Amino acid sequence: MQSLLPQRFAALFPHLCGLDGALPCSQVTGKMRSAIADRLQSLPLTVIGTRPIDEAIVTRGGVDIKDVSPGTMESKKTAGLYFAGEIIDVDAHTGGYNLQIAWSTGALAGKSAASAKKEGNA
Ligand SMILES: Cc1cc2nc3c(=O)[nH]c(=O)nc-3n(C[C@H](O)[C@H](O)[C@H](O)COP(=O)(O)OP(=O)(O)OC[C@H]3O[C@@H](n4cnc5c(N)ncnc54)[C@H](O)[C@@H]3O)c2cc1C
């Protein structure tokens, strides 16, 4: 079980299936295997709280995207003000999407600000 599941979860998992974790594999019946498969495919979890903000991976909220020009990342309310990354109200699941948001919006905001400066608009 420990090679298939996170270590601490593996220790708890037999109990969640109504099984004795110390039972040798040779004594695990077909019915018990079905119970394990059922639990692996459907494990109801109840969220009871959140971890502290210090441990947060991404923040939610920030500047409303309706107030940002998507082609330049410039504020629609304040000319010459550009936004990038988590300061904008966008977030995604982990997997590189938040970093991609930061890099893409940062590159666009930087290029746009530089262009505006070059054209004398900033
Ligand atoms: C532990 C952890 C794991 C993560 N893992 C992933 C992941 O696997 N995949 C993924 O996509 N995303 C991940 N993220 C999220 C991702 O790192 C962020 O979404 C991204 O870095 C946001 O970039 P940002 O430039 O908007 O903000 P930040 O990276 O937070 O940069 C803001 C910068 O501004 C500086 N700053 C703040 N205040 C001031 C000030 N007054 N003056 C000057 N500078 C200031 C800060 O020091 C910081 O350097 C993770 C985040 C954390 C915390």
Side-chain angles (χ1 to χ4, degrees):
M1 199 71 81
Q2 293 200 358
S3 62
L4 300 174
L5 297 172
Q7 200 175 3
R8 283 191 293 170
F9 184 51
L12 183 70
F13 193 73
H15 175 70
L16 294 173
C17 304
L19 302 175
D20 175 5
L23 195 69
C25 285
S26 59
Q27 292 177 32
V28 176
T29 64
K31 199 174 165 188
M32 290 173 179
R33 280 199 296 275
S34 292
I36 292 169
D38 286 349
R39 264 289 170 263
L40 279 174
Q41 289 173 12
S42 168
L43 178 66
L45 296 172
T46 305
V47 178
I48 57 169
T50 55
R51 304 292 302 165
I53 191 72
D54 290 355
E55 295 178 25
I57 284 184
V58 67
T59 53
R60 287 191 152 171
V63 178
D64 195 320
I65 54 167
K66 290 200 295 275
D67 296 329
V68 181
S69 298
T72 60
M73 304 313 298
E74 186 178 20
S75 168
K76 290 180 182 174
K77 293 187 170 178
T78 306
L81 178 63
Y82 296 82
F83 300 111
E86 279 196 40
I87 198 93
I88 311 163
D89 185 14
V90 283
D91 62 85
H93 290 294
T94 54
Y97 305 108
N98 293 296
L99 287 167
Q100 189 63 60
I101 289 168
W103 294 327
S104 298
T105 56
L108 180 58
K111 283 179 187 170
S112 304
S115 294
K117 177 81 178 161
K118 210 169 163 186
E119 290 162 16
N121 297 329

